[in-house]
Amino acid sequence: MTQIKNTPALDLQIIPVTPFSQNCSLLYDRETMSGVLVDPGGEVDKLLSAAKDKGVTITEIWLTHGHLDHAGGADELRERLGIKVIGPHRDDQFWMDDIAEHWARYGHPGMGRNVVPDRYLEDGETLSLAGAEFHVLHTPGHTPGHVVIYNKDLKIAFVGDVLFAGSIGRTDFPKGNHQQLLDSITQKLWPLGGDMRFIPGHGPMSTFGAERAGNPYVGDRAIANSQPNTSGPG
Ligand SMILES: [Zn+2]
Ligand SMILES: [Zn+2]
């Protein structure tokens, strides 16, 4: 359980799911006990029991991008809970049309379903949870329709596979683009400030400031010679 500091009401629990240990986030309001799941990539029963244990009613599903380990549980959750799937940007639909097939190719048939969101997200749009506003940035590079969802006051950003603690998203997949990813990070994420904390799709949390200081791909000293990342989780 990670408690978000500086806010009396919002709590966050990170629940790793799928064989890729993808960080699904249960973000919820302690007063109303309503919450959202960000990137429920699979293991729907595990996610539902985590919410039940906390007494949280899930009201929406937010997706950062269309990869199987992030979006694979969304359709089943929508069906079982009667809620909406929001995001990512429409340019990731081709990935979401390939989830079931993709899991089968990885040797895990039935791990996830294809999904068509109820609403695609565009740069500059907002989402809300219990009165807290979350802003949307379109951040292509890892996938063409990737979005980052953040809240300025809480200083928390859900960055999916754009940026990791000490690494960046892979760009050796269809429609991946290394320069586009660098531009998304340096032109859209860094301006949010060094004290912005982020939850990556895989691995530990960090801050934009810590990554500018030491990330070997996009740190201020490394960026001019940045090479694509071609290994690690997708
Ligand atoms: Zn990904
Ligand atoms: Zn991933």
Side-chain angles (χ1 to χ4, degrees):
M1 159 83 93
T2 306
Q3 185 158 329
I4 302 178
K5 289 176 194 133
N6 314 325
T7 168
L10 286 192
D11 265 357
L12 173 72
Q13 184 184 5
I14 295 173
I15 308 158
V17 291
T18 84
F20 297 105
S21 295
Q22 197 280 122
N23 290 329
C24 175
S25 293
L26 175 62
L27 178 70
Y28 63 98
D29 171 44
R30 275 200 309 279
E31 282 164 18
T32 60
M33 293 310 281
S34 63
V36 299
L37 282 171
V38 185
D39 285 358
E43 301 190 74
V44 165
D45 287 334
K46 179 176 171 180
L47 296 175
L48 289 176
S49 70
K52 196 177 170 200
D53 285 352
K54 297 243 172 286
V56 173
T57 302
I58 301 166
T59 56
E60 285 178 344
I61 295 160
W62 298 351
L63 300 179
T64 63
H65 67 297
H67 276 162
L68 70 170
D69 51 331
H70 296 254
D75 189 61
E76 185 182 344
L77 280 162
R78 171 168 61 188
E79 183 181 293
R80 289 171 68 171
L81 299 175
I83 58 177
K84 292 201 158 107
V85 177
I86 300 175
H89 185 279
R90 68 176 65 248
D91 287 354
D92 263 16
Q93 187 57 55
F94 77 104
W95 279 119
M96 293 183 280
D97 291 338
D98 192 42
I99 290 172
E101 177 80 29
H102 206 164
W103 273 126
R105 285 201 301 274
Y106 275 115
H108 301 283
M111 179 65 71
R113 298 185 191 173
N114 296 355
V115 60
V116 177
D118 297 281
R119 172 185 161 194
Y120 294 115
L121 290 171
E122 299 281 346
D123 194 79
E125 289 188 336
T126 56
L127 297 169
S128 67
L129 171 62
E133 279 212 327
F134 289 78
H135 295 274
V136 175
L137 295 170
H138 183 205
T139 52
H142 173 67
T143 64
H146 204 300
V147 296
V148 163
I149 300 167
Y150 73 96
N151 180 291
K152 257 190 177 143
D153 303 321
L154 308 178
K155 299 206 180 299
I156 191 86
F158 299 94
V159 305
D161 290 349
V162 169
L163 178 69
F164 304 111
S167 188
I168 57 171
R170 293 175 62 161
T171 46
D172 55 336
F173 297 127
K175 301 189 190 179
N177 184 310
H178 179 60
Q179 187 58 49
Q180 222 175 23
L181 181 67
L182 298 184
D183 292 346
S184 288
I185 293 169
T186 59
Q187 293 169 24
K188 295 201 166 166
L189 301 191
W190 288 175
L192 301 182
D195 55 351
M196 180 68 76
R197 295 166 291 176
F198 68 91
I199 297 153
H202 309 265
M205 290 176 66
S206 180
T207 64
F208 292 163
E211 298 314 307
R212 285 192 73 161
N215 189 298
Y217 296 92
V218 287
D220 291 348
R221 285 186 301 276
I223 190 82
N225 300 307
S226 184
Q227 299 298 311
N229 176 17
T230 56
S231 65

